[in-house]
Amino acid sequence: METQTRAPGPRRIVAAAVLTGVEGLIVAAFGIVSLVMLITGRPDGMTQAATLAVTVLALSALPLAAARGLWLRRRWSRGPAMIVQLIALPVAWQMAQNGGGLLAAAVALALAALTVLAALVNPKTAEALGIGQR
């Protein structure tokens, strides 16, 4: 019995999926670190710290789901992936304004967001995802 494996698709989709997944993992890691700090430390506001940690963990679900959808070439995944990138651009801008060590992270985030957006608006990506086909 032969099993069929679906190829991940064009390199644009693979790159978009990987970058979006990495963004999601970074957000999830921040949420986990926030939770650990909440448990091990003494935050000024317990409720505020718990809300931040849970919110950040919940927010990591969108890029992770979008990345998985792109990897599996699901039509629905392009919209959420684009939303994540459009949110990432002002975050990168704000990080750049703070300068210092955040500048490198801001540049990396902005480049990743622009790369994913460019990949997702490409007509070949839309075709591979089945967008615009009847």
Side-chain angles (χ1 to χ4, degrees):
M1 182 181 229
E2 188 177 320
T3 60
Q4 289 183 335
T5 35
R6 190 169 186 187
R11 286 187 296 190
R12 287 177 189 86
I13 294 177
V14 171
V18 169
L19 289 172
T20 303
V22 168
E23 290 167 344
L25 289 173
I26 290 170
V27 173
F30 179 70
I32 291 168
V33 167
S34 297
L35 262 179
V36 169
M37 289 175 60
L38 172 69
I39 294 168
T40 61
R42 290 188 172 280
D44 292 336
M46 186 66 92
T47 303
Q48 183 179 7
T51 302
L52 172 68
V54 170
T55 301
V56 170
L57 280 171
L59 287 174
S60 70
L62 182 63
L64 292 172
R68 183 173 188 278
L70 287 171
W71 186 263
L72 298 173
R73 286 188 277 163
R74 300 291 190 250
R75 164 184 278 192
W76 60 264
S77 62
R78 188 171 88 155
M82 290 178 82
I83 290 168
V84 168
Q85 305 320 313
L86 292 172
I87 292 170
L89 289 172
V91 170
W93 176 258
Q94 188 60 44
M95 288 169 62
Q97 298 305 306
N98 291 328
L102 290 178
L103 185 58
V107 169
L109 178 58
L111 287 174
L114 291 171
T115 300
V116 173
L117 283 170
L120 294 176
V121 299
N122 188 289
K124 290 184 180 184
T125 301
E127 181 183 326
L129 292 173
I131 296 170
Q133 298 173 353
R134 290 188 181 226

